[in-house]
Amino acid sequence: MTTATHSTLFPQVPDSADAVLEGLDPEQREVATALRGPVCVLAGAGTGKTRAITHRIAYGVRAGILQPSSVLAVTFTNRAAGEMRGRLRQLGASGVQARTFHSAALRQLQYFWPKAIGGSLPRLVDRKIQLVADAAAACRIRLDRGELRDATAEIEWSKVTQTVPADYAPAAARAGRETPRDPAEIAQLYAAYEDLKRARSVIDFEDVLLLTVAVLQDRHDVAQQVRAQYQHFVVDEYQDVSPLQQRLLELWLGDRDDLCVVGDASQTIYSFTGATPDHLLDFRGRHPGATVVKLVRDYRSTPQVVHLANGLLAQARGRAADHRLELVSQRPAGPEPVYTEYTDEPAEAEGAARRIRELIDAGVPAAEIAVLFRTNSQSETYEQALADIGVPYQLRGAERFFDRPEVRKAGSALRAAARFGGNDSLLDEAVDLPSQVRAVLSGEGWTTQPPAGSGAVRERWESLAALVSLAQDFAAARAGATLSDLVVELDERAGAQHAPTVQGVTLASLHSAKGLEWDVVFLVGVAEGMMPITYAKTDEQIEEERRLLYVGVTRAREHLHLSWALARSPGGRPSRRPSRFLKGLRPGSGTAAAGRTAAGGAGGGVERGFRGGDGGAAATVPRRARRTPARCRVCGRTLTDAGEMKLMRCEGCPSDMDEGVYARLCEWRAVQAERSGQPAFCVFTDKTLVAIAESVPEDERDLARIPGVGARKLNRYGTEVLAICAGQEGVGLDEDG
């Protein structure tokens, strides 16, 4: 975040297509000039991936190879999309669409809804949490604020993984998810939420993707119009796509392969939201002719920081680790990472604050310094330590500790207990200040043991636990302190944290720090139980924690400080130990694990895909089969109309539909639509039902031949549809089934 100069804010637009390529390294140039066919860019942290793909688009536009209006660049945040549009304008490539998946889908849905569905698009709700609260009330399920947020996240995960309410419980079990409530309750809540949306004629952000997918799947004419508009696609952060986003991308593409994807499996840290690196890692398998370019020249970090980052991944296991990239720093040498062990967490925070004060006094801008931690609940100690030493700070991706709802509510409860404690039976057996605070906060959700699982419930508990710990420290420091004294202390602490945030040190969780960088990074709390987090149990979860630390390390340009505390509170038992991820990497921690060579080579370079017509071995590489013309099964005429293609016959040719099968299919479809909270056509369109009732398939092979069925619907509905065709009664109509 170095201060930008006038020249970087207003760069001169390149005067030619070739000028766009100036300043790119050899691998970035390969990305920029590989304009046809599938291209996969494996880009390590700090290797200039955004530079490479924006120059790729700009070069194609400036060279006349790509029409600006035919390019759709997709990324994951509005900030990233805006940055990409700005860079393209600076390169003379205005007119290119750079959007998030949701923004692009919403734009298409708004345009095609009147034609495909009729009427106007239902209102889009900005925040679904109130709807989830209303659905919980309708189900008579009591949720506190944390559980409400976690339940909302479960609904979002279900939708992006295309899981309907009836399938939630087994799907969550297969995915190893820690559910905030009993899975059956979440499924009930999810179903009620969908009913409520339908009753209020609203849709949510996930519906935007689901409905766009449904329209493109079932309306061949709409899909063709979209494909005529966009012929070239670029997808950034491809390791973070969900199954639903991947399906939408496939529908945008159709049978074409002008696609460029960019990602790094080693930066996959959002699997809890449904993101998966499998689409990135399987890209070459799906596109045998793909060109793969590896970017490993790190322009962000010093060799010392890069060495630690590479060392972390060298010890990793799993599929993502097999495809890791060995970064090579392009910067001059810098200081070695600093490892510091502290007796307790307050000492760790005070130590970091002192070093930050020294850096600022030496001329390092506060905005170029960050303190990164695993959970938002860790922020309070660092907020206080920085405030005490007069260092301004700003929180990213989290509320200030004393502004959090659970902390405000706990403060009110403590204030009431201090005022009327003599009449509170909760305090009858509390003999000292810490036990009084524990008694009061137990009514707010604090327990002696942390809750299982992750997310908001855990963060809420951590906030209350921090207050309990603070009370213990306060009582130890001030003999005879009362509850009223503690309330005054809390008020003073809250007031002291209203420091100016402009040019302040950034406090952020590791998740919210992705995509950012600073000259100086303090990685704090790098201890077992926090990194990896306690509730990471499976090998996959442990490896994601390792990748999260890798993301934190690679945020640092020059100075990197890693620290941990042996105990939580002063005087506590020093039972903690440094994170296992640092074994063999920090001085005195044993021998480093032997480096592992990434599949396909750890270094940068280009693997050119085989293209048809190249001759020799290239001609033997399988290519995607082209669709044969659809023909009427009655008269044999070639079909071009989307509706006729669904029926597999001309509209004028006689129908041999089994009316009984068709009626049962319609009844079954209505039940499925109601259960999933989707329009009936999202299950099967009318014409697909007619085609099924006309052909009456006997097995999955016959059913799969019918346009509009597809692999996903075959897996979900095939058994019941075949049972209906076989004459079985009441299939799929039992509400309990």
Side-chain angles (χ1 to χ4, degrees), residues 288-328:
T291 296
V292 178
V293 184
K294 297 178 181 178
L295 304 183
V296 299
R297 301 174 197 251
D298 188 327
Y299 298 95
R300 175 188 299 159
S301 304
T302 63
Q304 288 73 18
V305 173
V306 167
H307 178 72
L308 175 57
N310 286 335
L312 282 171
L313 293 188
Q315 302 181 45
R317 295 293 181 268
R319 193 172 181 220
D322 290 339
H323 293 264
R324 70 183 179 86
L325 298 168
E326 189 86 19
L327 299 177
V328 181

Side-chain angles (χ1 to χ4, degrees), residues 14 35 317 406 442 545 587 598:
L35 293 172
R317 295 293 181 268
E406 64 269 21
S442 65
E545 292 289 300

Side-chain angles (χ1 to χ4, degrees), residues 322-619:
D322 290 339
H323 293 264
R324 70 183 179 86
L325 298 168
E326 189 86 19
L327 299 177
V328 181
S329 175
Q330 305 299 296
R331 294 194 56 184
E336 291 291 337
V338 177
Y339 302 87
T340 309
E341 182 172 276
Y342 292 93
T343 56
D344 51 65
E345 287 184 3
E348 183 180 10
E350 290 165 7
R354 282 196 305 271
R355 293 193 180 197
I356 289 170
R357 178 79 269 172
E358 292 168 0
L359 287 166
I360 293 174
D361 291 343
V364 178
E368 287 297 346
I369 304 172
V371 179
L372 306 182
F373 34 75
R374 177 60 181 85
T375 68
N376 289 330
S377 63
Q378 293 170 269
S379 71
E380 188 271 339
T381 306
Y382 292 89
E383 293 175 49
Q384 185 61 48
L386 291 172
D388 286 346
I389 208 166
V391 172
Y393 64 87
Q394 53 188 335
L395 274 170
R396 181 178 179 86
E399 298 162 294
R400 291 177 180 273
F401 181 82
F402 285 103
D403 288 342
R404 295 171 191 166
E406 64 269 21
V407 175
R408 290 202 304 268
K409 190 177 178 185
S412 297
L414 290 170
R415 192 170 288 105
R419 188 176 301 171
F420 307 112
N423 299 322
D424 193 337
S425 59
L426 274 175
L427 303 181
D428 287 347
E429 298 180 7
V431 296
D432 56 15
L433 177 58
S435 61
Q436 289 176 335
V437 171
R438 289 193 294 268
V440 173
L441 296 189
S442 65
E444 302 300 320
W446 179 81
T447 56
T448 55
Q449 295 297 319
S454 59
V457 171
R458 175 66 181 236
E459 288 179 8
R460 181 176 182 273
W461 181 88
E462 292 281 5
S463 295
L464 297 178
L467 290 175
V468 171
S469 177
L470 188 147
Q472 292 170 340
D473 297 342
F474 185 68
R478 290 183 55 178
T482 65
L483 203 52
S484 296
D485 295 331
L486 177 65
V487 168
V488 172
E489 173 70 11
L490 290 175
D491 289 340
E492 290 177 353
R493 283 173 172 259
Q497 291 173 27
H498 293 313
T501 58
V502 178
Q503 289 298 309
V505 171
T506 299
L507 299 180
S509 71
L510 287 166
H511 281 101
S512 64
K514 190 169 185 298
L516 302 175
E517 58 187 74
W518 297 269
D519 284 346
V520 186
V521 169
F522 288 79
L523 283 171
V524 300
V526 190
E528 286 292 305
M530 192 59 72
M531 183 60 67
I533 199 75
T534 306
Y535 49 76
K537 303 293 186 185
T538 67
D539 290 343
E540 292 82 1
Q541 290 169 338
I542 295 294
E543 288 305 319
E544 182 145 338
E545 292 289 300
R546 187 194 306 275
R547 294 194 296 270
L548 192 57
L549 182 58
Y550 171 80
V551 167
V553 167
T554 56
R555 299 310 94 194
R557 294 196 191 102
E558 187 171 1
H559 297 274
L560 178 62
H561 299 256
L562 301 96
S563 62
W564 58 92
L566 297 177
R568 176 166 186 153
S569 304
R573 188 164 63 92
S575 58
R576 293 180 176 178
R577 54 193 175 91
S579 169
R580 70 190 77 172
F581 299 146
L582 299 181
K583 183 174 177 57
L585 299 176
R586 63 184 179 87
S589 62
T591 304
R596 301 165 60 212
T597 301
V606 183
E607 299 172 20
R608 299 194 185 282
F610 295 118
R611 308 296 296 166
D614 290 342

Side-chain angles (χ1 to χ4, degrees), residues 52-199:
I53 59 176
T54 52
H55 281 68
R56 179 181 193 269
I57 296 169
Y59 176 71
V61 170
R62 298 292 297 276
I65 299 170
L66 304 176
Q67 293 299 315
S69 60
S70 72
V71 180
L72 179 58
V74 186
T75 187
F76 279 79
T77 66
N78 289 320
R79 179 183 62 82
E83 179 186 353
M84 189 176 292
R85 287 193 295 270
R87 291 199 190 194
L88 289 170
R89 282 194 301 270
Q90 293 168 359
L91 292 169
S94 297
V96 172
Q97 292 292 314
R99 297 181 175 274
T100 64
F101 270 104
H102 284 89
S103 172
L106 179 59
R107 193 163 181 256
Q108 293 173 17
L109 199 59
Q110 289 170 331
Y111 182 81
F112 289 111
W113 187 271
K115 174 182 179 180
I117 310 299
S120 57
L121 182 69
R123 181 175 62 86
L124 178 65
V125 293
D126 292 330
R127 296 178 70 251
K128 61 173 67 67
I129 196 163
Q130 185 55 55
L131 273 173
V132 177
D134 293 345
C139 296
R140 298 189 177 183
I141 297 175
R142 294 175 62 93
L143 299 176
D144 63 29
R145 186 177 181 276
E147 290 174 320
L148 186 61
R149 197 169 76 187
D150 288 344
T152 302
E154 287 303 294
I155 290 174
E156 291 173 349
W157 173 82
S158 299
K159 300 184 80 164
V160 300
T161 56
Q162 302 178 82
T163 302
V164 297
D167 297 337
Y168 170 77
R174 283 193 302 271
R177 293 186 72 80
E178 292 276 0
T179 58
R181 298 288 287 263
D182 183 270
E185 281 190 312
I186 298 296
Q188 180 189 7
L189 178 62
Y190 178 14
Y193 169 78
E194 293 296 318
D195 289 340
L196 198 58
K197 281 199 295 105
R198 194 162 48 248

Side-chain angles (χ1 to χ4, degrees), residues 238-271:
Y238 193 56
Q239 78 278 353
D240 288 333
V241 296
S242 69
L244 181 57
Q245 289 165 333
Q246 175 64 21
R247 179 60 185 144
L248 178 58
L249 179 61
E250 291 168 355
L251 288 166
W252 281 340
L253 275 168
D255 287 328
R256 302 163 302 167
D257 58 7
D258 275 333
L259 169 66
C260 174
V261 301
V262 189
D264 179 10
S266 297
Q267 296 189 67
T268 305
I269 59 173
Y270 295 109
S271 65

